[in-house]
Coordinates of all heavy atoms in Angstrom, one line a residue:
Chain B
N327 N 241.4 106.5 100.3 CA 242.0 105.1 99.9 C 242.6 104.5 101.1 O 242.3 103.3 101.4 CB 243.1 105.3 98.8 CG 242.5 105.8 97.5 OD1 241.3 105.9 97.3 ND2 243.5 106.1 96.6
M328 N 243.4 105.2 101.8 CA 244.2 104.6 102.9 C 243.2 104.3 104.1 O 243.4 103.4 104.8 CB 245.3 105.6 103.3 CG 246.4 105.7 102.3 SD 247.4 104.1 102.3 CE 248.3 104.4 100.8
L329 N 242.2 105.2 104.3 CA 241.3 104.9 105.3 C 240.6 103.6 105.1 O 240.5 102.8 106.1 CB 240.2 106.0 105.3 CG 239.1 105.9 106.4 CD1 239.7 106.5 107.8 CD2 237.9 106.7 106.1
L330 N 240.2 103.3 103.9 CA 239.5 102.0 103.7 C 240.4 100.8 103.6 O 240.0 99.7 103.9 CB 238.6 102.1 102.4 CG 237.2 102.6 102.7 CD1 237.1 103.9 103.4 CD2 236.3 102.5 101.5
E331 N 241.7 101.1 103.3 CA 242.6 100.0 103.3 C 243.1 99.7 104.7 O 243.3 98.5 105.1 CB 243.8 100.2 102.3 CG 244.8 99.1 102.4 CD 246.1 99.3 101.6 OE1 246.2 100.3 100.9 OE2 247.0 98.5 101.7
L332 N 243.4 100.7 105.5 CA 244.2 100.6 106.6 C 243.6 100.8 108.0 O 244.1 100.3 109.0 CB 245.5 101.5 106.6 CG 246.4 101.2 105.4 CD1 247.6 102.2 105.5 CD2 247.0 99.8 105.5
S333 N 242.4 101.5 108.0 CA 242.0 101.9 109.4 C 241.7 100.8 110.3 O 241.8 101.0 111.5 CB 240.7 102.8 109.2 OG 239.6 102.1 108.8
N334 N 241.5 99.6 109.8 CA 241.2 98.5 110.7 C 242.5 97.6 111.0 O 242.4 96.7 111.8 CB 240.1 97.5 110.2 CG 238.8 98.1 110.5 OD1 238.6 99.1 111.2 ND2 237.8 97.5 109.9
V335 N 243.6 97.9 110.3 CA 244.8 97.1 110.5 C 246.0 97.9 110.9 O 247.1 97.3 111.1 CB 245.1 96.2 109.3 CG1 244.0 95.2 109.0 CG2 245.3 97.1 108.0
N336 N 245.9 99.2 110.9 CA 247.0 100.0 111.2 C 246.5 101.2 112.0 O 246.1 102.3 111.5 CB 247.6 100.5 109.8 CG 248.9 101.2 110.0 OD1 249.2 101.9 111.0 ND2 249.8 101.1 109.0
E337 N 246.6 101.0 113.3 CA 245.9 102.0 114.2 C 246.5 103.4 114.1 O 245.8 104.4 114.0 CB 246.1 101.5 115.7 CG 245.1 101.9 116.6 CD 245.2 101.2 118.0 OE1 245.7 100.1 118.0 OE2 244.8 101.8 119.0
E338 N 247.8 103.4 113.9 CA 248.5 104.7 113.8 C 248.1 105.5 112.6 O 247.8 106.7 112.6 CB 250.1 104.5 113.8 CG 250.9 105.6 114.3 CD 252.4 105.3 114.4 OE1 252.7 104.1 114.0 OE2 253.2 106.1 114.8
A339 N 248.1 104.8 111.4 CA 247.7 105.4 110.2 C 246.2 105.8 110.3 O 245.8 106.9 109.9 CB 247.8 104.5 109.0
G340 N 245.4 105.0 110.9 CA 244.0 105.3 111.1 C 243.8 106.6 111.8 O 242.9 107.4 111.5
A341 N 244.5 106.8 112.9 CA 244.4 108.0 113.7 C 244.8 109.2 112.9 O 244.0 110.2 112.9 CB 245.3 107.9 114.9
H342 N 245.9 109.1 112.1 CA 246.2 110.3 111.2 C 245.1 110.6 110.3 O 244.8 111.8 110.0 CB 247.5 109.9 110.4 CG 248.8 110.1 111.1 ND1 249.7 111.0 110.7 CD2 249.3 109.6 112.3 CE1 250.8 111.0 111.5 NE2 250.5 110.2 112.5
L343 N 244.5 109.6 109.7 CA 243.5 109.8 108.6 C 242.2 110.4 109.2 O 241.7 111.3 108.7 CB 243.2 108.4 108.0 CG 244.4 107.8 107.2 CD1 244.2 106.3 107.0 CD2 244.6 108.6 105.9
R344 N 241.8 109.9 110.4 CA 240.6 110.4 111.0 C 240.8 111.9 111.4 O 239.9 112.7 111.3 CB 240.2 109.6 112.2 CG 239.4 108.3 111.8 CD 238.9 107.5 113.0 NE 239.9 106.9 113.8 CZ 240.5 105.7 113.6 NH1 240.0 105.0 112.6 NH2 241.4 105.3 114.4
R345 N 242.0 112.2 111.9 CA 242.3 113.5 112.3 C 242.2 114.5 111.1 O 241.6 115.6 111.2 CB 243.8 113.6 112.9 CG 244.0 114.8 113.8 CD 245.5 114.7 114.3 NE 245.8 113.4 114.9 CZ 246.9 112.7 114.5 NH1 247.8 113.2 113.7 NH2 247.1 111.5 115.0
H346 N 242.7 114.0 109.9 CA 242.7 114.8 108.7 C 241.2 115.1 108.3 O 240.8 116.2 108.0 CB 243.4 114.2 107.6 CG 243.2 114.8 106.2 ND1 243.9 115.8 105.7 CD2 242.2 114.6 105.3 CE1 243.5 116.2 104.6 NE2 242.4 115.5 104.3
L347 N 240.4 114.1 108.4 CA 239.0 114.2 107.9 C 238.2 115.1 108.9 O 237.4 115.9 108.4 CB 238.3 112.8 107.8 CG 238.9 111.9 106.8 CD1 238.3 110.5 106.8 CD2 238.8 112.5 105.4
Q348 N 238.5 115.0 110.1 CA 237.9 115.9 111.1 C 238.2 117.3 110.8 O 237.4 118.3 110.9 CB 238.3 115.5 112.5 CG 237.7 116.3 113.6 CD 236.1 116.3 113.6 OE1 235.5 115.2 113.6 NE2 235.5 117.5 113.7
A349 N 239.5 117.6 110.5 CA 240.0 118.9 110.2 C 239.3 119.5 109.0 O 239.0 120.7 108.9 CB 241.5 118.9 110.1
T350 N 239.1 118.6 108.0 CA 238.5 119.1 106.8 C 237.0 119.4 107.1 O 236.5 120.5 106.6 CB 238.5 117.9 105.7 OG1 239.8 117.5 105.5 CG2 237.8 118.4 104.4
K351 N 236.4 118.6 107.9 CA 235.0 119.0 108.3 C 235.0 120.3 109.0 O 234.1 121.1 108.8 CB 234.4 117.9 109.2 CG 232.9 117.9 109.2 CD 232.3 116.8 110.0 CE 232.1 117.2 111.5 NZ 231.4 116.2 112.3
D352 N 235.9 120.6 109.8 CA 236.0 121.8 110.6 C 236.2 123.0 109.6 O 235.5 124.1 109.8 CB 237.1 121.8 111.6 CG 236.8 120.9 112.8 OD1 235.6 120.5 112.9 OD2 237.7 120.5 113.5
L353 N 237.0 122.8 108.6 CA 237.2 123.9 107.6 C 235.9 124.2 106.9 O 235.5 125.3 106.6 CB 238.2 123.5 106.6 CG 239.7 123.5 107.0 CD1 240.6 123.0 105.8 CD2 240.1 124.9 107.5
F354 N 235.2 123.1 106.5 CA 233.9 123.2 105.9 C 232.9 124.0 106.8 O 232.3 125.0 106.4 CB 233.3 121.9 105.5 CG 233.8 121.2 104.3 CD1 235.0 121.7 103.7 CD2 233.2 120.2 103.6 CE1 235.5 121.1 102.6 CE2 233.7 119.6 102.5 CZ 234.9 120.0 101.9
R355 N 232.8 123.6 108.0 CA 231.9 124.2 108.9 C 232.2 125.7 109.1 O 231.2 126.5 109.1 CB 232.0 123.5 110.3 CG 230.7 123.4 111.1 CD 230.9 123.0 112.5 NE 231.2 124.2 113.3 CZ 230.3 125.0 113.9 NH1 229.0 124.8 113.8 NH2 230.7 126.1 114.6
Q356 N 233.4 126.0 109.2 CA 233.8 127.4 109.4 C 233.4 128.2 108.2 O 232.8 129.3 108.4 CB 235.4 127.4 109.5 CG 236.0 128.7 109.9 CD 237.5 128.6 109.9 OE1 238.1 127.5 110.2 NE2 238.2 129.7 109.7
A357 N 233.6 127.7 107.0 CA 233.1 128.4 105.8 C 231.6 128.5 105.8 O 231.0 129.5 105.4 CB 233.6 127.7 104.6
L358 N 230.9 127.5 106.3 CA 229.5 127.5 106.3 C 228.8 128.4 107.3 O 227.7 128.8 107.2 CB 229.0 126.0 106.4 CG 229.3 125.2 105.1 CD1 229.2 123.7 105.4 CD2 228.3 125.6 104.0
V359 N 229.5 128.6 108.4 CA 229.1 129.6 109.4 C 228.9 131.0 108.7 O 227.9 131.7 108.9 CB 230.0 129.7 110.6 CG1 229.7 130.9 111.5 CG2 229.9 128.4 111.4
K360 N 230.0 131.3 108.0 CA 229.9 132.6 107.3 C 228.8 132.6 106.2 O 228.1 133.6 106.1 CB 231.3 132.9 106.6 CG 232.4 133.2 107.5 CD 233.7 133.5 106.8 CE 234.9 133.4 107.7 NZ 236.2 133.4 106.9
A361 N 228.7 131.5 105.5 CA 227.6 131.4 104.5 C 226.2 131.6 105.2 O 225.3 132.3 104.7 CB 227.6 130.0 103.8
D362 N 226.1 131.0 106.4 CA 224.8 131.1 107.1 C 224.5 132.6 107.5 O 223.4 133.1 107.3 CB 224.9 130.2 108.3 CG 223.5 130.0 108.9 OD1 222.5 130.2 108.2 OD2 223.4 129.6 110.1
E363 N 225.6 133.2 108.0 CA 225.5 134.6 108.4 C 225.1 135.5 107.2 O 224.4 136.5 107.4 CB 226.8 135.1 109.1 CG 226.9 134.5 110.5 CD 228.4 134.6 111.0 OE1 229.2 135.1 110.3 OE2 228.6 134.2 112.2
A364 N 225.6 135.1 106.1 CA 225.4 135.9 104.9 C 224.0 135.5 104.2 O 223.7 136.0 103.1 CB 226.5 135.7 103.8
G365 N 223.3 134.6 104.9 CA 222.0 134.2 104.3 C 222.1 133.4 103.1 O 221.1 133.3 102.3
E366 N 223.2 132.7 102.9 CA 223.3 131.9 101.7 C 222.7 130.5 101.8 O 222.6 129.8 100.7 CB 224.8 131.7 101.3 CG 225.5 133.0 100.8 CD 226.9 132.7 100.3 OE1 227.0 131.9 99.4 OE2 227.9 133.2 100.9
L367 N 222.5 130.0 103.0 CA 222.0 128.6 103.2 C 220.5 128.6 102.9 O 219.7 129.5 103.3 CB 222.3 128.1 104.5 CG 223.8 128.0 104.9 CD1 224.0 127.3 106.2 CD2 224.6 127.3 103.8
R368 N 220.0 127.4 102.5 CA 218.6 127.2 102.3 C 217.9 127.1 103.7 O 218.6 126.7 104.6 CB 218.4 125.8 101.6 CG 218.5 125.9 100.1 CD 217.8 124.7 99.4 NE 218.0 124.8 98.0 CZ 217.3 125.6 97.2 NH1 216.3 126.3 97.7 NH2 217.6 125.6 95.9
P369 N 216.7 127.3 103.7 CA 215.9 127.1 104.9 C 216.0 125.6 105.3 O 216.0 124.7 104.4 CB 214.5 127.4 104.5 CG 214.6 128.2 103.3 CD 215.8 127.9 102.6
G370 N 216.2 125.3 106.6 CA 216.4 123.9 107.0 C 217.9 123.6 107.1 O 218.2 122.6 107.8
Q371 N 218.7 124.3 106.5 CA 220.2 124.0 106.6 C 220.8 124.8 107.7 O 220.2 125.8 108.2 CB 220.9 124.5 105.3 CG 220.6 123.6 104.1 CD 221.1 122.2 104.2 OE1 222.1 122.0 104.8 NE2 220.3 121.2 103.7
N372 N 221.9 124.3 108.2 CA 222.7 125.0 109.2 C 224.2 124.5 109.0 O 224.4 123.5 108.3 CB 222.2 124.9 110.6 CG 222.4 123.5 111.1 OD1 223.5 123.0 111.2 ND2 221.3 122.8 111.5
P373 N 225.1 125.2 109.5 CA 226.5 124.9 109.2 C 226.9 123.4 109.6 O 227.6 122.8 108.8 CB 227.3 125.9 110.1 CG 226.4 127.1 110.2 CD 225.0 126.5 110.3
D374 N 226.4 122.9 110.7 CA 226.7 121.6 111.1 C 226.2 120.5 110.1 O 226.9 119.6 109.6 CB 226.2 121.3 112.5 CG 227.0 122.1 113.5 OD1 228.2 121.9 113.7 OD2 226.3 123.0 114.2
V375 N 224.9 120.7 109.8 CA 224.3 119.7 108.9 C 224.9 119.8 107.5 O 225.3 118.8 106.9 CB 222.8 120.0 108.8 CG1 222.1 119.3 107.6 CG2 222.0 119.6 110.1
A376 N 225.1 121.1 107.0 CA 225.7 121.2 105.7 C 227.1 120.7 105.6 O 227.5 120.2 104.5 CB 225.6 122.7 105.3
A377 N 227.9 120.9 106.7 CA 229.2 120.3 106.6 C 229.3 118.8 106.5 O 230.0 118.3 105.7 CB 230.0 120.8 107.9
V378 N 228.4 118.2 107.3 CA 228.3 116.7 107.1 C 227.9 116.3 105.7 O 228.4 115.4 105.1 CB 227.3 116.2 108.2 CG1 226.9 114.7 107.9 CG2 227.8 116.3 109.6
F379 N 226.9 117.0 105.2 CA 226.4 116.7 103.9 C 227.4 116.9 102.8 O 227.6 116.1 101.9 CB 225.1 117.6 103.6 CG 224.4 117.2 102.3 CD1 223.6 116.1 102.3 CD2 224.6 118.0 101.2 CE1 222.9 115.8 101.1 CE2 224.0 117.6 100.0 CZ 223.2 116.5 100.0
L380 N 228.1 118.0 102.9 CA 229.1 118.3 101.8 C 230.3 117.4 101.9 O 230.9 117.0 100.9 CB 229.5 119.8 101.8 CG 228.4 120.7 101.4 CD1 228.7 122.2 101.7 CD2 228.1 120.6 99.9
L381 N 230.7 117.1 103.1 CA 231.8 116.2 103.3 C 231.4 114.8 102.7 O 232.2 114.1 102.1 CB 232.3 116.1 104.8 CG 233.6 115.3 105.0 CD1 234.7 116.0 104.3 CD2 233.9 115.2 106.5
G382 N 230.1 114.5 103.0 CA 229.6 113.2 102.4 C 229.7 113.2 100.9 O 230.0 112.2 100.2
T383 N 229.4 114.4 100.3 CA 229.5 114.5 98.8 C 230.9 114.3 98.4 O 231.2 113.7 97.3 CB 229.0 115.9 98.4 OG1 227.7 116.1 98.9 CG2 229.0 116.1 96.9
V384 N 231.9 114.8 99.1 CA 233.3 114.6 98.8 C 233.6 113.1 98.8 O 234.2 112.6 97.9 CB 234.2 115.4 99.8 CG1 235.7 115.0 99.6 CG2 234.0 116.9 99.6

Side-chain angles (χ1 to χ4, degrees):
Chain B
N327 293 352
M328 290 290 166
L329 183 79
L330 266 60
E331 179 186 351
L332 296 180
S333 69
N334 281 350
V335 293
N336 188 330
E337 209 171 330
E338 206 175 1
H342 276 241
L343 295 163
R344 282 187 291 270
R345 201 178 314 129
H346 169 90
L347 294 175
Q348 179 61 49
T350 304
K351 200 178 93 177
D352 291 342
L353 287 179
F354 279 18
R355 213 194 84 87
Q356 192 181 328
L358 288 160
V359 166
K360 290 182 194 167
D362 196 18
E363 289 165 356
E366 291 187 62
L367 297 189
R368 277 200 184 279
Q371 291 294 327
N372 68 59
D374 292 295
V375 166
V378 169
F379 185 82
L380 290 170
L381 192 60
T383 303
V384 171

